[in-house]
Amino acid sequence: MKSFSALRRELLLGATIIASGLCLNAEAQTGKSRHYDIQEPSLDAALRSLGTQSGREIMVLSDLVAGRSAPRLEGNFEFEDAVKRLIRGTDLIVEFTSEGALIRGREEAANEEVNQNGRLASSEILVTGSRIRGVRSSSSVPINRQEMLKAGQSNLGEALRALPQNYGGGQNPTVAFGANVMGNGANQNMNGASAANLRGLGPDATLTLLNGHRLSYGNIAQSVDISAIPLSAVSRVEVMTDGGSAIYGSDAVAGVVNVILQPDYSGLSLSSRLSTTTEGGGFQQQYGIVTGSRWSAGGFMVTYDYGDDKPVYAASRPYLSYLDAPYTLLPGRTHHSVVLTGHQNIGFGTLKLDGIYNRREQETLFTYAGRTSRSDADTDTYATSAQLELPLSEAWQATLLGSYSREKTNSRQRDFVAGVVAYDGRVSSVNRVIVGEVGVSGDLVELPAGALKAAFGGGWRGNQFRYGATSPVIGEQNVVYGYGELEIPVLNRNGGVDDLLSLNLAGRYERYRGIDEIFTPKVSAALQPNDAIRLSASWGRSFKAPTLYQLNAVSYRNLLPLFVYGGAGFPAGSTILTSSGGNANLTPERATSWQLGADWKPLSGLNLSISYFDIRYKDRVTTPIASRATGMTNPAYQPFITLNPTSAQIASFLAGDHQFYNGVGAGAAFDPSTVVALINDAYLNAARQDISGLDANLSFSRPLQGGTLSTTASATWLKSSQRIDGADQSVKIAGTAFNPASFRARASLGWSSEIVSVNGYLNYTDGVDDVRTDAVIKGRSMTTIDVSSEINLAPASGLANRVTLRLSAQNLLNQLPPPISDVSGIVYLPNYDSTNYSGIGRIVSAALTVDF
């Protein structure tokens, strides 16, 4: 008999599919109309949003839409009518194909802009995942700003954590104390940042970009704080769930998250949002301003966002009453964010600028055995970039990019005993990245099936990391790189207008001075026999350079009591020597991945997709002893332990430039004769991980009662395991505590009209097993329901053009997180997995936006 959690999981998916199926027959009779909600003020951004919402490709020369405005579009329209409404009043002309739309200039210029096959000679598809204009990415998951707002989400971190493909572990403000008991420093909340973590491979294995360029890493982790970018400045987020090192370089092993800003704005928008938990604590205030202007050759946008979040304490949650107070579950934070972006046609090309500044302050409290630790972190993030787009000919364009980004975190920890300061320590971390890049793209030659498109380029990137009480420079990386990409049409259909079979070849060379030289290839293929079916496949290699902290952190040799690593059966007074800290001899992590996908559109408005992914990830940098409590008893750790070492082995272990730490006791002298084990627990290229799974997505909409009824469902099945170098058996990762769940799903059902929208969301996370000790405890799943509503008003009089009110409730039924076992004896930590489940409870919010 199936378990209850498995049955509930199947019912969840089945209910969504049945609900969609009930609408199929009616939809077949209603034509191709569907509901669109496009609020972007610029024509460029509006066409991008239309392409995302419709799933159709829109091709247009970038110069033709630069600086143009677009009307708001909300309601039920056919795709063709929606395009015409957006370009109404301009001199643009649209031609529709089975794939989407071609937009060009005045009729007299038609022969210069459209070739004999009906293709744009130098087209730009506005929904893309490649450096070549006109190439469609089969692994992209787009999220537009309106979807995030309607779901009641207040920042990009919340939006990403709701994606089934993303894991809430890593660097995130929702990670509570105890989430890092599995070692490696992977799960932590040092400064309140939010990092993407696709497939649970770690924030350092997901590359995060802003308008296609890199941002500085955050704190000691090689990850990027996505919450530093306010939601009000964002047009959409493109999540690429396939390895991307062949295009983007290091870190893109699990995929790429690209945040696209609004290019400009016209008018003034004021917003406010208040939210709170119903169990106590967590009151949030958020206020924002968006303004800007447009003119014939350019435009700009500037936003300011302020937020103040009160903490949530464990004392307000009865199921955590055993924890000593004060104890922070969700930290108190304040933030200030400013974004400026703009573009200007300067005659010989188009100049684009963007910049962000974010200031965040956070406070956390942790109490155990009468000792209270208070941690304060202040983080400042700056990022700026300049991009010049130069048309070289009708078919070729060059792009010059320069960017600079910097993040600095000042941390202070104070320990109090009976109200008296027992410890006061400060530390700073500074990350910086500078990038200079040049690239060209265009059509190489016309083949029988179409134009052979290409993109080539290269550049230089410099990373710098400072860490310590005085923030000395402890590491630098200088990277030189070059890339190339070809889009090859093999066969076409529909009289040569659409591709039947196409290939994409990409490769990138990177030279990390003092580390390694790496070439990463990728091959992709797409087969589309008709408008309803598209099949895709890809194979490629990716890599991740070791972080500057892993390479350059202080190396320690630690004298510890035997019990720290679970040792027993040795004479009284026995000790162990362990290594910890950085390792200058680390080499890049490497991965080979492949993916198979299928997209099916049996009816207008119905979209189904499924993809299988497989990643073989080797040379992973890790601290090999994941659980110290079983360090000397788990056979998987034996390759890193030397029992009963000789005097020569002890001397060799201590040799070199290391700091010695005596953890046996104050004033105790080091006696080599008491050492019964040497344990290598510093960073090593020691692990291999095997990751595979399925992604499935469904969306369907139909007109109903003057509006649109829509449903979506997305799910991810994940299987992953790790083998420590030299170990005989692999260890399960996905489905275990403080690692990604094996199955996650999110489904929605909503109705929207021009004035009102109502949406419901069902979130399911499978149970995770607690494997921190030999007594494995099966975990329980968690299902939550979110609801939201939106009312749009156009005042008959007054200054405001539009007033929008949004109400939402997350975890409507106030579900508690499933508890994990207490067999570990760690009674000072929350007894739930905060990386997979929220322990905060119900959250209600109200937001008001006034547009002038």
Side-chain angles (χ1 to χ4, degrees):
M1 179 176 292
K2 294 182 180 179
S3 67
F4 177 73
S5 62
L7 180 61
R8 179 165 53 179
R9 181 172 65 200
E10 294 183 5
L11 289 174
L12 165 64
L13 293 179
T16 305
I17 294 172
I18 292 171
S20 301
L22 293 175
C23 305
L24 289 178
N25 190 46
E27 171 66 13
Q29 306 298 322
T30 57
K32 299 181 180 180
S33 176
R34 62 163 294 172
H35 186 79
Y36 292 104
D37 183 3
I38 299 175
Q39 308 294 330
E40 283 74 5
S42 72
L43 183 57
D44 184 1
L47 289 172
R48 291 179 187 271
S49 181
L50 176 59
T52 299
Q53 294 183 37
S54 66
R56 307 284 291 276
E57 294 180 344
I58 301 176
M59 294 188 291
V60 62
L61 293 169
S62 58
D63 290 345
L64 293 178
V65 293
R68 295 178 184 262
S69 61
R72 288 181 175 138
L73 185 70
E74 185 168 3
N76 297 313
F77 305 98
E78 295 185 6
F79 172 74
E80 292 79 2
D81 188 27
V83 175
K84 291 176 182 178
R85 287 173 180 263
L86 288 180
I87 66 173
R88 182 177 295 169
T90 71
D91 58 351
L92 301 177
I93 297 171
V94 59
E95 296 182 3
F96 296 101
T97 71
S98 59
E99 282 297 310
L102 305 176
I103 300 176
R104 54 183 175 81
R106 294 185 302 273
E107 189 64 39
E108 58 265 29
N111 292 333
E112 297 177 1
E113 297 176 2
V114 181
N115 63 27
Q116 295 179 352
N117 290 327
R119 301 172 183 271
L120 287 176
S122 178
S123 63
E124 179 178 359
I125 290 184
L126 299 178
V127 180
T128 184
S130 167
R131 290 185 181 269
I132 300 177
R133 293 171 177 80
V135 174
R136 172 183 173 184
S137 171
S138 60
S139 60
S140 177
V141 181
I143 317 170
N144 65 52
R145 183 180 73 259
Q146 292 302 316
E147 291 174 349
M148 296 182 249
L149 292 174
K150 283 186 175 181
Q153 295 160 346
S154 62
N155 58 67
L156 292 179
E158 286 186 20
L160 280 177
R161 287 191 290 272
L163 280 180
Q165 297 92 338
N166 191 74
Y167 169 50
Q171 169 71 61
N172 272 304
T174 56
V175 174
F177 289 108
N180 197 41
V181 295
M182 300 305 288
N184 267 327
N187 296 322
Q188 40 94 0
N189 175 20
M190 297 188 68
N191 62 358
S194 293
N197 190 351
L198 296 176
R199 313 297 187 202
L201 295 185
D204 53 353
T206 299
L207 178 62
T208 300
L209 305 173
L210 176 65
N211 279 349
H213 62 79
R214 287 181 177 251
L215 297 169
S216 62
Y217 298 130
N219 209 265
I220 65 172
Q222 195 158 292
S223 60
V224 171
D225 177 19
I226 200 168
S227 68
I229 309 166
L231 195 56
S232 58
V234 174
S235 172
R236 69 189 188 281
V237 179
E238 293 179 354
V239 181
M240 314 297 296
T241 57
D242 194 11
S245 288
I247 301 295
Y248 300 105
S250 178
D251 308 347
V253 177
V256 180
V257 174
N258 191 11
V259 181
I260 310 296
L261 299 177
Q262 297 189 66
D264 52 36
Y265 192 83
S266 180
L268 174 67
S269 178
L270 304 178
S271 63
S272 63
R273 181 180 184 272
L274 302 177
S275 72
T276 187
T277 71
T278 58
E279 298 301 300
F283 179 69
Q284 298 179 347
Q285 304 176 70
Q286 189 173 358
Y287 307 98
I289 301 173
V290 183
T291 188
S293 182
R294 299 194 192 95
W295 49 91
S296 60
F300 79 95
M301 175 194 69
V302 60
T303 72
Y304 169 72
D305 191 80
Y306 167 78
D308 179 68
D309 303 348
K310 300 304 181 185
V312 174
Y313 293 110
S316 64
R317 303 299 185 264
Y319 70 96
L320 295 174
S321 60
Y322 64 91
L323 295 174
D324 293 340
Y327 198 111
T328 304
L329 285 185
L330 194 66
R333 298 186 300 164
T334 61
H335 78 263
H336 302 265
S337 298
V338 179
V339 173
L340 174 64
T341 183
H343 58 95
Q344 175 67 40
N345 189 316
I346 54 178
F348 58 86
T350 300
L351 179 64
K352 298 180 179 179
L353 302 171
D354 61 63
I356 65 171
Y357 167 73
N358 182 74
R359 166 76 176 181
R360 181 177 58 253
E361 299 175 359
Q362 173 176 281
E363 174 189 301
T364 58
L365 295 167
F366 167 74
T367 302
Y368 174 62
R371 189 182 187 96
T372 298
S373 294
R374 171 175 172 171
S375 297
D376 299 282
D378 303 333
T379 302
D380 292 280
T381 303
Y382 308 84
T384 182
S385 76
Q387 181 171 303
L388 181 61
E389 296 179 351
L390 300 171
L392 303 177
S393 68
E394 295 179 3
W396 285 86
Q397 175 178 293
T399 301
L400 284 75
L401 170 70
S403 68
Y404 173 85
S405 182
R406 179 179 181 268
E407 193 225 54
K408 180 177 181 179
T409 295
N410 294 317
S411 301
R412 183 183 184 186
Q413 179 178 329
R414 284 171 289 175
D415 292 352
F416 299 87
V417 178
V420 178
V421 176
Y423 172 81
D424 190 345
R426 303 170 187 259
V427 67
S428 289
S429 67
V430 182
N431 285 274
R432 187 203 69 184
V433 62
I434 303 174
V435 178
E437 182 177 294
V438 60
V440 294
S441 62
D443 297 351
L444 279 176
V445 65
E446 191 71 24
L447 300 177
L452 173 63
K453 300 178 181 295
F456 304 97
W460 173 87
R461 182 174 72 253
N463 298 323
Q464 186 184 87
F465 176 57
R466 298 171 178 260
Y467 185 76
T470 58
S471 295
V473 177
I474 71 167
E476 290 183 309
Q477 287 177 342
N478 293 305
V479 186
V480 178
Y481 60 89
Y483 65 85
E485 184 180 1
L486 293 174
E487 177 72 10
I488 308 169
V490 180
L491 297 171
N492 55 34
R493 58 187 177 88
N494 292 340
V497 175
D498 301 312
D499 288 335
L500 170 62
L501 176 64
S502 61
L503 296 176
N504 183 276
L505 307 178
R508 184 177 176 113
Y509 165 83
E510 295 209 3
R511 180 172 64 84
Y512 280 74
R513 188 166 64 185
I515 299 178
D516 207 345
E517 298 182 37
I518 301 170
F519 177 76
T520 50
K522 186 174 183 179
V523 181
S524 304
L527 174 66
Q528 187 157 1
N530 54 53
D531 295 342
I533 298 176
R534 186 176 190 268
L535 306 176
S536 61
S538 68
W539 173 93
R541 289 179 175 162
S542 298
F543 78 99
K544 184 188 79 66
T547 71
L548 288 170
Y549 180 80
Q550 292 168 345
L551 287 166
N552 300 286
V554 174
S555 177
Y556 285 93
R557 295 296 182 264
N558 312 289
L559 181 68
L560 300 173
L562 191 64
F563 69 85
V564 174
Y565 278 75
F570 292 91
S574 294
T575 61
I576 55 175
L577 278 173
T578 72
S579 66
S580 62
N583 182 354
N585 297 315
L586 296 174
T587 60
E589 304 174 355
R590 302 171 188 265
T592 299
S593 60
W594 57 275
Q595 191 171 61
L596 298 175
D599 298 276
W600 184 34
K601 301 177 182 179
L603 294 173
S604 177
L606 174 61
N607 298 279
L608 303 166
S609 67
I610 188 169
S611 63
Y612 174 82
F613 58 89
D614 185 275
I615 305 171
R616 295 292 181 262
Y617 203 173
K618 65 179 183 178
D619 298 331
R620 292 229 64 183
V621 175
T622 182
T623 54
I625 313 299
S627 175
R628 287 188 175 185
T630 60
M632 295 185 67
T633 59
N634 190 330
Y637 305 144
Q638 295 310 303
F640 305 96
I641 299 177
T642 302
L643 294 175
N644 301 313
T646 65
S647 298
Q649 288 173 322
I650 294 175
S652 177
F653 191 79
L654 295 173
D657 186 14
H658 312 292
Q659 291 193 20
F660 185 79
Y661 170 72
N662 189 337
V664 172
F670 170 48
D671 182 0
S673 66
T674 65
V675 176
V676 297
L678 305 176
I679 301 179
N680 188 354
D681 205 13
Y683 286 113
L684 295 171
N685 290 99
R688 168 182 169 139
Q689 292 181 349
D690 297 327
I691 306 100
S692 60
L694 285 172
D695 290 331
N697 296 278
L698 175 150
S699 64
F700 182 73
S701 62
R702 58 158 292 191
L704 179 68
Q705 298 295 317
T708 298
L709 180 69
S710 60
T711 181
T712 66
S714 59
T716 292
W717 289 262
L718 182 66
K719 179 182 179 181
S720 60
S721 61
Q722 176 170 291
R723 185 189 300 272
I724 301 295
D725 186 28
D728 294 330
Q729 295 181 341
S730 61
V731 178
K732 180 181 177 183
I733 298 178
T736 62
F738 305 107
N739 286 303
S742 295
F743 178 81
R744 289 188 66 203
R746 180 175 170 89
S748 71
L749 181 66
W751 181 87
S752 59
S753 68
E754 215 172 302
I755 299 176
V756 177
S757 71
V758 180
N759 299 277
Y761 304 86
L762 194 63
N763 309 286
Y764 176 87
T765 302
D766 220 350
V768 294
D769 299 337
D770 191 346
V771 296
R772 291 175 295 172
T773 68
D774 295 333
V776 177
I777 304 298
K778 300 291 290 183
R780 293 190 287 121
S781 64
M782 183 176 183
T783 302
T784 61
I785 296 175
D786 306 334
V787 295
S788 67
S789 61
E790 180 178 282
I791 302 175
N792 297 293
L793 302 174
S797 61
L799 295 176
N801 297 323
R802 182 185 179 97
V803 176
T804 303
L805 174 65
R806 298 183 179 91
L807 303 174
S808 69
Q810 296 175 321
N811 193 357
L812 179 66
L813 302 181
N814 201 28
Q815 294 294 304
L816 295 178
I820 56 177
S821 66
D822 57 3
V823 296
S824 63
I826 309 178
V827 296
Y828 54 89
L829 300 177
N831 65 340
Y832 71 97
D833 181 351
S834 60
T835 67
N836 283 296
Y837 317 103
S838 172
I840 306 305
R842 184 190 299 112
I843 302 174
V844 294
S845 67
L848 181 68
T849 302
V850 182
D851 297 326
F852 298 92

